Amino acid sequence: MSNDNIQAVLGESRIFPPAAEFVAKSRVDAKKMAELRAAAEKDHVGFWASLARQELSWNKPFTVTLDDSKAPNYAWFTDGRINVSYNCIDRHLEKRGDKLAIRFESEPGVVTTLTFKQLHGEVCRLANVLKSLGIRKGDRVVIYLPMSPSAVIAMQACARIGAIHSVVFGGFSAQSVRDRVEDAGARLVITADGAHRAGHVVELKKAVDEALNEGCKTIEKVLVYKHAGNQIAWKDGRDLWWQDLTAKAAAECEPEWVEAEHPLFLLYTSGSTGKPKGVQHSSAGYLLGAHQTTQWLFDVREDDVFWCTADVGWITGHSYVCYGPLSNGTTIVMYEGGPMTPDAGRFWKICQDHGVTIFYTAPTAIRALMKMGEKFPLSYDLSKLRLLGSVGEPINPEAWIWYHHVIGKDKLPIVDTWWQTETGSVMISPLPGATPLKPGSCTQPIPGIFADIVDESGELIPGLDQGGYLVITKPWPSMLRTIWGDNERYIKAYWGQFGNKYYVAGDSAHRDKDGYYWILGRTDDVLKVAGHRLGTMEVESALVAHPRVAEAAVVGRPHEIKGEAIVAFVILKGQRPTGAEAEELIKELKNFVAKSMGPIAKPDDIRLADNLPKTRSGKIMRRLLRSIAKGEEITQDVSTLENPAIVAQLAGKE
Ligand code: PRX
């Protein structure tokens, strides 16, 4: 976030109290929220224990709520047994068997629906197929599917038999699939022939073939869902059609009752090093977080139609597409394609056609749609909407006001939800029937979550109107359990900075005079490009893999729609080209990164230079690079630079 944005956010003083009409019907009003907060303050562990008993269905009830004997490796509900897919599907069958669980629209516009009963049948069939392929409790399964019911069915089928899924976003490259398969030691990949995206077919199976051509020795089979109908290569003995096998499989499959702490999934996310981390989530604690927050923050009711636009490849798609809403017996909408296909009215048309009542999306999408003008949303009937949400990056007040005014008709609450892949579910957010809103602030920690801010030395900063590092001071059920295969990295990355006392989120935040939190951005080398997390080191590693690149430094620059854009400074091996030759090479490098990481990582700007600005001890001066990337006048002291003359060249003045 740029300084201007920070100023704009911190200067924001408008307050929007919840509308009386909304409060009257909401699950949690201000009084109830105060009671929940007081209960959690008094007995934080007991608070979560009673929710876990009340909200989840257990095969064996737990007696131990929190085991902190190996802190910061916390464990919750340790002696209980549960099955996540049972909680999301089976327990609704009696009351909601014929209710729609999923309303799906493909990008070309084909609508398919699944009732809870039908979803149960599909999940059981696939679970039986997985078992017939030898997949057992604890085995890792990589899922690389379009945003479609097949993805939810695959995730739920893994959960049903206790297999650990690792979903790879369909926009990621073959290389990303390979890295994740290898890190997780996966035995099976579930993919599709292709996915529709922005009028094209993304060839998922082709990327899997490429990934498996080199390495990935642990993979035995590839299960392929026929979706886009594109031509694919086939490897006999390894590749199997999903539809062929499920057609012959039984529609009943007993859930595998697993320990509460059994890993439900791994989800890889970027950190400060070049290698993404396999964030490991538990079964019961994770589900409780996703379930409870869906209920409190989205105020779900029996007749709601919930649309979270996030892809299942991200944590938001795990918690608020696949697990949280289904666990509450809520109908979800899934949409396969892009928001601008065929035009900028697509999201609003889907809201109208499917009768969406709760709409949850990212600021990037809001800003992009805002730019296209009011005529698109005004052409559709959005009268069923009753609640809006935002996630993934700070929402600037201007976009917030547009969302509230044009989509929310000045009356719908907006829940601006702060959380992370690691937190599993939302941590700081308004409760829509209780919290007065301030545009740009995610407001306050939800009941049961204890957030705070600390200074550079890890001391809590008491009082209001203060800024610092955002930390979580008490464990919570849906917290990550570890980094797959690297517990040391887990401890170092999230706890080590302040002596293992707090969970360190990696964000800086301001707590205003009312105790509201304003997230100011990351404190580490992580970028947020269109709401997606990318490590600067990952992009740098991708660049230096090109034969002509000797060294690269990547920084973020504020971007009107994407939040941040990627700027790379590149030092070549040999002569630095100029003119058309340089332009050609820059284009090649951009495409090279997109190919190796996926299109979201494609740099917006690449600058070729003879050197990077380094201190005499050899450290790249990133702060300086950030200023240069923004085109700012350089006022910083460059006298400590090894090579001060380089600044003019990097700024394009030479
Ligand atoms: O910087 C914060 C930002 O997104 C980061 C987490 O990214 P990821 O793990 O990809 O999860 C995104 C979806 C939960 C955070 O460290 N972030 C997320 N939500 C918000 C946010 N920043 C400001 N406001 C938010 N509501």
Side-chain angles (χ1 to χ4, degrees), residues 269 315-316 390-395 416-422 442 505 507 519 521-522 528 531-533:
T269 192
I315 190 68
T316 311
S390 170
V391 60
E393 51 187 314
I395 179 164
D416 175 357
T417 60
W418 177 87
W419 59 298
Q420 309 177 296
T421 304
E422 294 86 345
C442 52
D507 281 348
I519 306 297
R522 301 284 311 183
K528 270 275 163 173
H532 304 316
R533 235 163 109 166

Side-chain angles (χ1 to χ4, degrees), residues 405-469:
H405 176 62
V406 179
I407 310 303
K409 315 292 179 210
D410 292 320
K411 60 177 206 284
L412 304 192
I414 298 178
V415 286
D416 175 357
T417 60
W418 177 87
W419 59 298
Q420 309 177 296
T421 304
E422 294 86 345
T423 67
S425 54
V426 177
M427 307 287 279
I428 309 182
S429 167
L431 267 58
T435 316
L437 308 173
K438 297 188 188 186
S441 167
C442 52
T443 76
Q444 292 182 309
I446 63 167
I449 298 299
F450 295 83
D452 220 316
I453 45 175
V454 299
D455 64 17
E456 298 263 308
S457 59
E459 289 303 315
L460 287 174
I461 303 176
L464 303 172
D465 205 8
Q466 303 276 6
Y469 295 88

Side-chain angles (χ1 to χ4, degrees), residues 15-186:
I15 296 185
F16 296 78
E21 198 188 326
F22 191 94
V23 176
K25 293 191 203 144
S26 74
R27 280 174 175 269
V28 184
D29 59 11
K31 183 165 165 274
K32 176 92 196 289
M33 182 168 77
E35 285 166 13
L36 289 169
R37 283 233 160 86
E41 291 273 353
K42 199 164 148 230
D43 176 10
H44 150 256
V45 174
F47 176 78
W48 285 114
S50 68
L51 288 172
R53 290 198 180 97
Q54 182 187 307
E55 297 293 331
L56 303 185
S57 304
W58 297 83
N59 172 256
K60 175 173 175 268
F62 61 92
T63 61
V64 179
T65 304
L66 174 64
D67 176 358
D68 57 5
S69 60
K70 297 196 185 82
N73 287 107
Y74 293 95
W76 288 83
F77 318 121
T78 46
D79 55 345
R81 290 183 94 80
I82 200 162
N83 182 279
V84 169
S85 132
Y86 178 90
N87 274 268
C88 293
I89 307 172
D90 304 45
R91 65 168 167 166
H92 306 306
L93 291 180
E94 201 177 320
K95 206 171 125 204
R96 306 187 175 103
D98 295 322
K99 175 178 172 173
L100 288 189
I102 304 180
R103 306 176 62 106
F104 169 65
E105 187 166 319
S106 71
E107 192 180 80
V110 180
V111 172
T112 22
T113 59
L114 284 169
T115 62
F116 276 93
K117 226 186 259 167
Q118 289 166 327
L119 179 62
H120 178 258
E122 295 301 324
V123 168
C124 286
R125 278 195 192 93
L126 185 66
N128 283 325
V129 168
L130 298 182
K131 286 209 280 194
S132 74
L133 297 177
I135 302 299
R136 298 281 174 264
K137 180 182 167 196
D139 285 342
R140 275 80 62 207
V141 173
V142 162
I143 296 176
Y144 188 58
L145 283 167
M147 182 59 191
S148 65
S150 61
V152 170
I153 293 166
M155 292 160 84
Q156 293 282 351
C158 286
R160 192 157 194 94
I161 64 169
I164 304 168
H165 62 69
S166 169
V167 182
V168 181
F169 172 53
F172 277 148
S173 63
Q175 178 67 44
S176 313
V177 175
R178 183 183 302 136
D179 290 347
R180 285 153 177 77
V181 163
E182 291 191 337
D183 189 78

